[in-house]
Amino acid sequence: MEPIIHVSSSPHVRDNSSTATIMRDVIIALMPATLMGIYNFGARAFLVLLATCTSCLLTEYLWEKYRKEPITTGDLSALVTGLLLGLNLPATIPLWMAILGSVFAVLIAKQFFGGLGQNFMNPALAGRCFLMLSFGKAMTNSFAIPKGNALWGGYQATLDAVSSATPLMQVKEATCQADLATTLKDMFLGTTWGTIGETSVICLLIGGIYLLCRRVISYEIPLIYVLTFVVFNLCFSLVTGAYVPIFYEVCGGGLMLGAIFMATDYVTSPITQKGKIIYAILIGLLTGLFRFFGESAEGVSFAIIIGNLFVPLIERFTVPKAFGKEGKEHA
């Protein structure tokens, strides 16, 4: 009797990757920036991260329990959302705001659209943008290292803290090199002001290299995003004659954190090669527009969120045609 040959549809090549293993790798890659943020901003940073991670996990669990759906907290995606959101917040933000942003990220930006794989924008960035629009002062004017009774949060935290302008704000207000109080060395190592996870370029690069080695992300989106922003920076300087220190702009703010960990999100970024290039150029241009022409010194979060909205349109025009379809059209 001849052996039975089973024929199935593609794909035929499989590996052992799963959502949980991918998210685990992202968590490992975020550990250098996380530990640096806790070292830089103290126990208050740990409390913010604990609040966002716990809130995201609990929100997803309770919603799926209420809906009588399979519990998906084990895939670690909610934990990654909480960790990314926490790293995008200042250490002095009141804890109830961090919890509110976490609930918005998981419930509104993710679960209301069907859960992981159905959300049209990055949940962590959605939570951050929600907090930026709702509580702008707490999100932008409180970059500080908490002291004493400021540990547990509340608006009093900003009064009992040592605060300073972020490097990006220094760049926006500077008129010459001498006006910049923060050195590139401080920005590269991370011993400066900012949100919990954005200050250390070297820690973010270590995490990015780990993800590249694990093939969790590809180099196209981060590299083209940063290069597009640099070109925009140079053009802006040449046209306006304004003083814009490129390395400060690249190392400052959330550019590196966004380029490596959020612009590359599987669900909200293109899957095609051409799509990745178009998407990266788009968010690079938007970041430049927001930073140089907007009121805020930052712009990464809103640039990536808007880029997420264009992904379906980008993929519509970049998905390859099915085999034989083109020949049929020309026949």
Side-chain angles (χ1 to χ4, degrees):
M1 183 176 178
E2 293 293 327
I4 298 175
I5 301 175
H6 295 280
V7 179
S8 61
S9 60
S10 61
H12 302 292
V13 178
R14 309 188 194 285
D15 60 26
N16 294 322
S17 296
S18 65
T19 301
T21 58
I22 292 171
M23 295 300 165
R24 182 196 62 199
D25 283 332
V26 174
I27 292 170
I28 293 172
L30 285 168
M31 280 300 102
T34 301
L35 295 174
M36 183 62 197
I38 295 172
Y39 168 80
N40 198 24
F41 297 106
R44 189 59 169 71
F46 174 76
L47 286 178
V48 172
L49 292 170
L50 182 63
T52 55
C53 291
T54 304
S55 300
C56 285
L57 285 168
L58 191 59
T59 300
E60 182 159 300
Y61 174 81
L62 291 176
W63 174 257
E64 291 174 341
K65 194 77 172 175
Y66 168 73
R67 296 277 296 174
K68 297 181 180 179
E69 297 174 348
I71 305 300
T72 60
T73 51
D75 66 14
L76 303 179
S77 62
L79 181 59
V80 169
T81 296
L83 186 56
L84 281 173
L85 176 60
L87 293 175
N88 274 280
L89 300 179
T92 50
I93 190 170
L95 295 183
W96 67 267
M97 288 186 189
I99 294 171
L100 184 61
S102 302
V103 173
F104 183 92
V106 172
L107 189 61
I108 307 299
K110 182 182 177 184
Q111 292 299 333
F112 276 14
F113 291 91
L116 184 65
Q118 306 299 319
N119 51 289
F120 67 95
M121 64 174 64
N122 184 286
L125 284 182
R128 184 179 191 273
C129 290
F130 165 73
L131 292 175
M132 282 284 293
L133 294 173
S134 303
F135 312 104
K137 185 176 180 181
M139 288 289 290
T140 57
N141 296 336
S142 305
F143 295 106
I145 300 178
K147 292 182 175 180
N149 66 354
L151 180 65
W152 295 101
Y155 287 106
Q156 189 66 23
T158 62
L159 302 177
D160 296 336
V162 179
S163 59
S164 175
T166 62
L168 265 189
M169 187 57 70
Q170 292 176 21
V171 169
K172 198 171 184 69
E173 296 174 351
T175 56
C176 64
Q177 182 71 34
D179 294 331
L180 298 176
T182 306
T183 66
L184 279 174
K185 179 183 176 182
D186 293 330
M187 297 174 71
F188 192 73
L189 295 178
T191 55
T192 184
W193 312 98
T195 64
I196 295 171
E198 74 180 16
T199 59
S200 178
V201 174
I202 188 170
C203 289
L204 294 170
L205 287 176
I206 290 171
I209 292 170
Y210 174 81
L211 291 180
L212 286 171
C213 292
R214 294 284 296 170
R215 297 185 179 181
V216 174
I217 65 172
S218 57
Y219 70 90
E220 290 90 349
I221 291 177
L223 181 61
I224 296 172
Y225 176 20
V226 174
L227 287 178
T228 301
F229 177 73
V230 169
V231 171
F232 187 99
N233 197 321
L234 290 171
C235 293
F236 178 82
S237 300
L238 291 173
V239 172
T240 64
Y243 169 68
V244 182
I246 295 176
F247 290 107
Y248 278 83
E249 286 286 349
V250 172
C251 296
L255 184 67
M256 298 303 294
L257 179 61
I260 296 171
F261 292 99
M262 288 174 286
T264 55
D265 178 30
Y266 281 5
V267 178
T268 56
S269 62
I271 59 173
T272 63
Q273 199 72 12
K274 290 181 181 178
K276 290 179 181 179
I277 295 172
I278 296 171
Y279 170 74
I281 292 174
L282 173 63
I283 59 178
L285 293 174
L286 288 173
T287 302
L289 286 171
F290 293 151
R291 280 196 177 182
F292 300 139
F293 296 100
E295 293 297 324
S296 173
E298 191 52 270
V300 172
S301 298
F302 288 104
I304 296 176
I305 285 289
I306 294 174
N308 293 161
L309 300 178
F310 278 93
V311 168
L313 183 63
I314 292 172
E315 292 199 324
R316 180 179 179 183
F317 292 101
T318 58
V319 171
K321 292 183 179 180
F323 180 76
K325 183 178 179 182
E326 219 171 330
K328 185 177 179 181
E329 288 178 353
H330 290 297

